[in-house]
């Protein structure tokens, strides 16, 4: 069976070209403009510095590995990261998935599975967070649906929150507590096997 893995990026334990590979894949798709619509951090050097350990962010690589293949950089389909981390308390969460991951059958299930694995890491030691927050472009219906699937609560939308080029965008704000996440986990475990697979299973070709 094809599998989805969420692994923390630790400098020195991944190939040197890992961040460059992710960056260029995002550039090819125009994803960088969606993730950083303010126009900042729009170069490879900035991207690498953004995830420097001294910046205090935690980066997690999402891999989709087809059955019977050895995992390599070509299997990177996205990333998640935590910023403004206060260990034992809170952090802001962010994510990006490449378009080829979107095009797989059941992508919402696969992407939700990846986000749930990332949430497990956030709410477990050593981070041991009590609450995770997120903000999403209000027009990004896919991402907004996705975070609701893992149990995040929408606080509301702030119109005209930031400008990109000549256009302004609103932002929707979300949060999930450890208790909410654990409760959602119990709800998932209580579903029938077929329901769970349609909602969160690893993708199939």
């Amino acid at each position: 069976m094809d599998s989805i893995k969420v692994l923390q990026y630790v400098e020195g334990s991944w190939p040197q070209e890992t961040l460059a590979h992710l960056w260029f894949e995002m550039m090819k798709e125009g994803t960088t403009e969606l993730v950083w619509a303010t126009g900042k951090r729009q170069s490879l050097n900035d991207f690498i510095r953004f995830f420097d350990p001294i910046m205090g962010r935690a980066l997690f690589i999402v891999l989709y590995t087809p059955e019977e293949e050895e995992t390599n950089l070509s299997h990177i389909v996205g990333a998640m990261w935590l910023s403004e981390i206060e260990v034992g308390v809170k952090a802001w969460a962010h994510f990006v998935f490449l378009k080829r991951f979107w095009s797989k059958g059941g992508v919402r299930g696969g992407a939700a599975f990846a986000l749930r694995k990332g949430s497990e890491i956030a709410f477990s030691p050593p981070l041991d967070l009590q609450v995770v927050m997120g903000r999403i472009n209000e027009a990004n219906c896919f991402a907004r649906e996705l975070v609701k699937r893992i149990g995040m609560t929408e606080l509301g939308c702030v119109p005209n929150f930031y400008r990109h080029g000549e256009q302004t965008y609103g932002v929707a704000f979300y949060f999930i507590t450890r208790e909410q996440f654990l409760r959602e986990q119990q709800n998932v475990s209580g579903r029938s096997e077929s329901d769970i697979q349609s909602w969160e299973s690893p993708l199939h070709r």
Side-chain angles (χ1 to χ4, degrees):
M1 179 183 292
D2 301 351
S3 67
I4 297 170
K5 297 177 183 177
V6 178
L7 303 175
Q8 185 166 7
Y9 176 82
V10 178
E11 193 174 9
S13 63
W14 288 74
Q16 286 187 330
E17 63 272 26
T18 300
L19 292 183
H21 175 85
L22 176 60
W23 169 257
F24 285 116
E25 289 295 310
M26 292 170 64
M27 284 290 288
K28 283 192 293 187
E29 298 184 353
T31 311
T32 54
E33 295 183 0
L34 296 175
V35 177
W36 290 297
T38 59
K40 298 179 181 178
R41 296 182 288 273
Q42 292 296 309
S43 74
L44 173 58
N45 287 338
D46 287 337
F47 184 73
I48 291 173
R49 281 196 295 269
F50 185 72
F51 291 115
D52 189 296
I54 66 172
M55 302 301 290
R57 300 183 177 97
L59 172 64
F60 305 92
I61 305 295
V62 182
L63 299 138
Y64 166 61
T65 305
E67 187 176 7
E68 298 180 355
E69 287 191 21
E70 291 294 324
T71 300
N72 58 60
L73 294 184
S74 69
H75 296 144
I76 294 177
V77 293
M80 298 178 282
W81 61 97
L82 298 172
S83 64
E84 301 178 46
I85 301 169
E86 187 175 345
V87 175
V89 185
K90 59 181 171 60
W92 285 90
H94 318 264
F95 64 89
V96 59
F97 294 112
L98 301 178
K99 290 178 181 177
R100 69 171 180 271
F101 190 54
W102 302 356
S103 65
K104 298 288 184 181
V107 64
R108 283 169 170 75
F113 176 85
L115 287 185
R116 286 183 61 249
K117 296 303 292 183
S119 298
E120 288 178 11
I121 296 169
F123 289 122
S124 302
L127 292 172
D128 212 22
L129 301 179
Q130 297 298 315
V131 62
V132 170
M133 299 167 291
R135 48 184 177 261
I136 300 172
N137 185 321
E138 66 175 346
N140 192 339
C141 298
F142 169 77
R144 295 178 68 181
E145 174 191 339
L146 204 51
V147 297
K148 288 180 180 178
R149 284 198 174 205
I150 67 166
M152 295 194 87
T153 300
E154 182 175 311
L155 293 170
C157 293
V158 179
N160 304 316
F161 190 78
Y162 63 82
R163 178 181 295 276
H164 177 51
E166 298 300 316
Q167 192 168 353
T168 57
Y169 295 89
V171 170
F173 288 84
Y174 296 84
F175 79 93
I176 184 169
T177 65
R178 186 209 302 266
E179 290 73 20
Q180 287 174 315
F181 178 72
L182 293 176
R183 189 161 55 245
E184 180 61 29
Q185 290 278 74
Q186 292 176 343
N187 291 339
V188 170
S189 64
R191 296 174 187 167
S192 69
E193 183 176 346
S194 60
D195 286 343
I196 293 173
Q197 291 209 355
S198 66
W199 187 81
E200 64 151 16
S201 66
L203 306 182
H204 297 273
R205 285 171 290 180

